[in-house]
Amino acid sequence: MIPLCNNPAMKPETVLSARGLFKSYHKDRIEVPVLRGLDLEVPSGLVTALVGRSGSGKSTLMHLLATLDHPDSGEVYFRGERIDNASRARRDNYRNHDIGIIFQFYHLLPELSAIENVLTPTMIGRSAWNYFRHRKEASRRAESMLDRVGLLHRATHKPSEMSGGEMQRAAIARALMTDPSMLLADEPTGNLDTDTGLDILKLLTELNQDDGLTVLMITHDDAIAAEADCCLRMQDGQLLPESPALQVA
Ligand code: ADP
Ligand code: MG
């Protein structure tokens, strides 16, 4: 499946791909098929939007791409390496270093300040002693990430003291802490008003343009998707083939 790109001359490499993904859920004794042989290619260095109606399986797909869940069958590759059936250690490493994950509802820890939330990825996988030794360097990086997303002035604020847009900026700063080459964002603007959502989209676009970060952004909002470099559309558990109706300026 070739994604529809605004600029057909662009022929970027594929960074993340999926082949023949099937995934069903089971409720009581009823099987609910969600993904039905889905193929996907995410181009490197671009912002790609994945659009689809609510319930079309976008979050299910993102969980499989992030190795947070297993497909019933099919494969996921990151830079050509099969990742869906990799060892637990490799999958942890993939989630903690190769990619950054952003969710609609931010998933910040309510008791921690913005900067403490941003620091959480550096605590994972380190002994207390190791973390203690590196804490100054980690704090400096956390400050610089908060600055990058325009939130340094809220460093000591807890999530309850921040707006939705600010919480999403904190979640993006946290995702950037481990220097991923790709962000997977599940409806990152879905809980925000239109203008705040567009601000977050602008930030993701800047991260792409300035830092070369690949972004895969799931959305049900065509206006948000229209700002992306490429657009993929999900329907009936598969990606639709290229369609002129998706062409955006
Ligand atoms: P989207 O993100 O596009 O709204 P989802 O991937 O969340 O769609 O869900 C796709 C379908 O799978 C929906 O019908 C949803 O009700 C169902 N579903 C999602 N997660 C589960 C689950 N854990 N158990 C049972 N059904 C689920
Ligand atoms: Mg969803």
Side-chain angles (χ1 to χ4, degrees):
M1 176 71 55
I2 312 290
L4 183 78
C5 290
N6 286 338
N7 179 352
M10 288 193 289
K11 285 212 169 48
E13 285 172 34
T14 296
V15 60
L16 184 66
S17 61
R19 291 276 166 271
L21 287 184
F22 281 85
K23 180 75 180 175
S24 297
Y25 295 110
H26 297 270
K27 194 155 173 58
D28 301 324
R29 263 189 247 145
I30 301 168
E31 185 181 348
V32 183
V34 178
L35 303 183
R36 307 165 193 243
L38 182 139
D39 297 327
L40 167 89
E41 287 190 10
V42 180
S44 178
L46 301 180
V47 178
T48 298
L50 180 75
V51 286
R53 289 221 298 259
S54 182
S56 60
K58 303 182 298 297
S59 294
T60 300
L61 173 61
M62 161 140 156
H63 285 118
L64 299 186
L65 297 177
T67 69
L68 294 167
D69 198 1
H70 290 286
D72 297 334
S73 63
E75 296 135 36
V76 178
Y77 295 86
F78 178 73
R79 298 194 186 288
E81 172 195 0
R82 185 155 175 203
I83 199 78
D84 61 284
N85 68 352
S87 67
R88 173 182 279 257
R90 175 62 189 118
R91 282 183 284 125
D92 287 349
N93 181 272
Y94 167 69
R95 283 194 305 273
N96 293 329
H97 294 283
D98 293 316
I99 62 169
I101 309 176
I102 299 164
F103 298 96
Q104 176 175 354
F105 295 106
Y106 329 122
H107 293 196
L108 298 173
L109 295 170
E111 297 304 320
L112 301 185
S113 67
I115 193 157
E116 288 164 345
N117 266 289
V118 173
L119 277 164
T120 52
T122 59
M123 298 173 186
I124 294 167
R126 275 193 171 160
S127 66
W129 169 242
N130 190 303
Y131 174 71
F132 188 73
R133 273 186 29 197
H134 291 98
R135 74 189 193 291
K136 274 206 178 131
E137 177 195 325
S139 294
R140 269 200 297 274
R141 179 160 175 85
E143 278 178 8
S144 124
M145 291 304 112
L146 280 173
D147 196 25
R148 182 71 190 81
V149 302
L151 203 66
L152 196 50
H153 62 300
R154 290 279 181 270
T156 58
H157 289 231
K158 290 191 173 166
S160 60
E161 298 158 350
M162 291 190 270
S163 69
E166 288 170 342
M167 285 193 273
Q168 193 56 293
R169 284 173 193 275
I172 293 171
R174 179 183 56 189
L176 297 175
M177 263 311 265
T178 57
D179 200 19
S181 61
M182 172 167 196
L183 284 184
L184 295 181
D186 191 358
E187 307 255 9
T189 64
N191 207 37
L192 304 172
D193 61 72
T194 307
D195 284 350
T196 311
L198 287 171
D199 285 345
I200 292 296
L201 180 66
K202 188 160 164 264
L203 171 61
L204 293 174
T205 307
E206 278 169 16
L207 291 168
N208 165 258
Q209 286 172 356
D210 300 346
D211 305 348
L213 208 63
T214 299
V215 179
L216 178 64
M217 177 181 59
I218 289 172
T219 180
H220 64 261
D221 185 337
D222 283 346
I224 294 279
E227 300 294 321
D229 297 316
C230 298
C231 190
L232 303 166
R233 191 175 291 270
M234 266 185 85
Q235 190 175 297
D236 299 328
Q238 297 196 334
L239 289 190
L240 288 183
E242 283 189 26
S243 143
L246 286 178
Q247 197 80 54
V248 278

